Amino acid sequence: MNADSDERAGESAADGAGGGEPAEHAPLGSRAPEFVKARRSLHVGWQVGVFLVGLAVVGAGIVMLPLPGPGWLVIFAGMAIWATEFVWAQLVLRWTKRKVTEAAQRALDPKVRRRNLILTAVGLVIVAVLVGIYVWKFGIVMPWKIHE
């Protein structure tokens, strides 16, 4: 009875005071089918399976970080798999989504964009000057014209 009242309280909070953010106030917990949650041993087996599949996906993402491939995207996909069953993963994904949204809003701020463009231009000028000094001092020797 307590679990039912807790779920209804979570739904009413998501419906009433959500304010356009229903994902932020969605109830936490397992999204396994009801027949799986009804049997303890089946639910534990389900959780172990979800954990192993998520672990394999996160592991593949970690391997893809130094190798070619979308490493971070695969890691977040593994976290999303874990979030179907584990509250800690749901909280991590909520935090990550919030931080990515905040960073995107900061990056779109005209002052920040202007600052980033100026810093990029200054950096490119510095690199061009350093390359010019190097070429002036040492010259350019093509690999096919090296004489020893």
Side-chain angles (χ1 to χ4, degrees), residues 2 8 20 30-31 34 39 44 61 72 77 80 87 103 105 108 114 118 123 127 133 138 143-144:
N2 265 347
R8 278 187 300 234
S30 175
R31 293 188 184 112
E34 289 303 321
R39 293 165 185 81
V44 169
W72 285 110
V87 172
Q105 288 173 350
L108 293 176
R114 192 175 315 118
I118 291 170
V127 168
I133 291 171
F138 299 107
W144 53 85

Side-chain angles (χ1 to χ4, degrees), residues 51-66:
F51 180 78
L52 291 176
V53 169
L55 184 64
V57 173
V58 169
I62 290 172
V63 168
M64 286 184 207
L65 286 175

Side-chain angles (χ1 to χ4, degrees), residues 127-141:
V127 168
V129 166
L130 291 175
V131 168
I133 291 171
Y134 180 84
V135 169
W136 176 67
K137 185 160 177 99
F138 299 107
I140 297 177
V141 178

Side-chain angles (χ1 to χ4, degrees), residues 56-142:
V57 173
V58 169
I62 290 172
V63 168
M64 286 184 207
L65 286 175
L67 299 176
W72 285 110
L73 184 66
V74 175
I75 289 172
F76 288 129
M79 289 296 297
I81 291 171
W82 278 338
T84 63
E85 197 58 36
F86 302 107
V87 172
W88 61 267
Q90 293 168 3
L91 295 174
V92 167
L93 280 179
R94 283 183 184 179
W95 179 83
T96 304
K97 287 178 186 178
R98 188 172 56 249
K99 291 299 180 184
V100 166
T101 303
E102 290 172 5
Q105 288 173 350
R106 278 194 312 268
L108 293 176
D109 180 25
K111 290 180 182 178
V112 173
R113 288 184 67 205
R114 192 175 315 118
R115 183 199 66 202
N116 288 345
L117 286 173
I118 291 170
L119 288 175
T120 301
V122 168
L124 288 174
V125 167
I126 290 172
V127 168
V129 166
L130 291 175
V131 168
I133 291 171
Y134 180 84
V135 169
W136 176 67
K137 185 160 177 99
F138 299 107
I140 297 177
V141 178
M142 297 298 170

